[in-house]
């Protein structure tokens, strides 16, 4: 009929369809829908950017806290090591002082025991000397002179030996 081919009829139909769409304002509705979609996507991108920035700030904060916690842990370990060394040094000094005091006490007890032993030996020697002198004098000297001499000698020996 007018000498059009199929492609020409498709083109004429398309132009008529576009004219109908234009008459009813379909293009405005379509453009509004696209604008709304663009605005929604833009808002979502802005929210995503904002969330990414917040996440980056939060990550930086956690990294700073982690570094701070590591420094604090190292400080605690260092302080504990120093405290342990100080306590060990104090314990060593106290132990040396304790040993020195115990040694001094033991030496004092030994000196006292030596003095007591010497005094016991002297007393035993004095008793033996007195007994020997008594025995010798009682056999050699007789009478009241012997008794006076014996008593006087025993007293002198005891006084000198003690």
């Amino acid at each position: 009929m007018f000498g059009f081919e199929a492609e020409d009829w498709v083109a004429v139909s398309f132009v008529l369809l576009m004219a109908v769409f234009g008459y009813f304002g379909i293009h405005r509705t379509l453009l509004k829908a696209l604008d709304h979609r663009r605005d929604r996507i833009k808002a979502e991108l802005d929210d995503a950017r904002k969330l990414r920035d917040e996440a980056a700030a939060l990550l930086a904060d956690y990294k700073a806290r982690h570094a701070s916690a590591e420094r604090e842990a190292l400080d605690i370990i260092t302080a504990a090591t120093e405290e342990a060394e100080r306590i060990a040094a104090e314990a060593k000094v106290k132990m040396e002082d304790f040993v020195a005091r115990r040694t001094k006490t033991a030496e004092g007890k030994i000196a006292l025991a030596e003095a007591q032993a010497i005094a016991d030996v002297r007393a035993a020697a004095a008793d033996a000397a007195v007994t020997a002198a008594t025995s010798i004098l009682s056999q050699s000297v007789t009478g009241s002179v012997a008794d006076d001499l014996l008593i006087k000698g025993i007293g002198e020996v005891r006084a000198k030996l003690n």
Side-chain angles (χ1 to χ4, degrees):
M1 181 167 137
F2 297 109
F4 290 139
E5 303 228 0
E7 292 85 14
D8 295 332
W9 283 112
V10 169
V12 168
S13 299
F14 180 73
V15 169
L16 284 175
L17 182 64
M18 289 298 132
V20 169
F21 282 168
Y23 178 76
F24 287 113
I26 300 289
H27 66 285
R28 280 187 232 105
T29 307
L30 186 62
L31 288 176
K32 279 184 185 179
L34 288 174
D35 286 343
H36 286 297
R37 183 177 173 139
R38 181 200 63 206
D39 293 341
R40 187 175 36 115
I41 291 172
K42 184 178 178 186
E44 287 177 3
L45 286 174
D46 289 343
D47 287 343
R49 208 172 288 120
K50 183 179 175 183
L51 289 173
R52 186 192 67 201
D53 292 342
E54 288 176 3
L58 192 60
L59 178 65
D61 183 47
Y62 281 127
K63 283 183 179 180
R65 285 183 184 181
H66 179 69
S68 174
E70 282 184 2
R71 281 192 306 273
E72 188 175 330
L74 287 175
D75 290 345
I76 289 171
I77 290 170
T78 303
T81 303
E82 290 172 357
E83 182 71 14
E85 289 173 357
R86 184 187 61 77
I87 289 172
E90 286 179 5
K92 182 179 178 184
V93 168
K94 286 180 181 179
M95 183 60 78
E96 288 173 354
D97 184 46
F98 176 74
V99 169
R101 282 187 282 130
R102 284 292 210 184
T103 303
K104 188 175 179 181
T105 302
E107 288 172 352
K109 287 181 179 179
I110 290 170
L112 185 62
E114 285 178 357
Q116 184 65 36
I118 290 172
D120 289 345
V121 168
R122 282 187 181 167
D127 287 341
V130 167
T131 304
T134 304
S135 167
I136 292 172
L137 288 176
S138 64
Q139 291 173 2
S140 336
V141 180
T142 58
S144 67
V145 172
D147 290 338
D148 290 338
L149 187 60
L150 182 63
I151 291 172
K152 184 178 177 186
I154 291 173
E156 287 177 5
V157 168
R158 280 191 180 161
K160 288 182 181 179
L161 290 178
N162 287 330

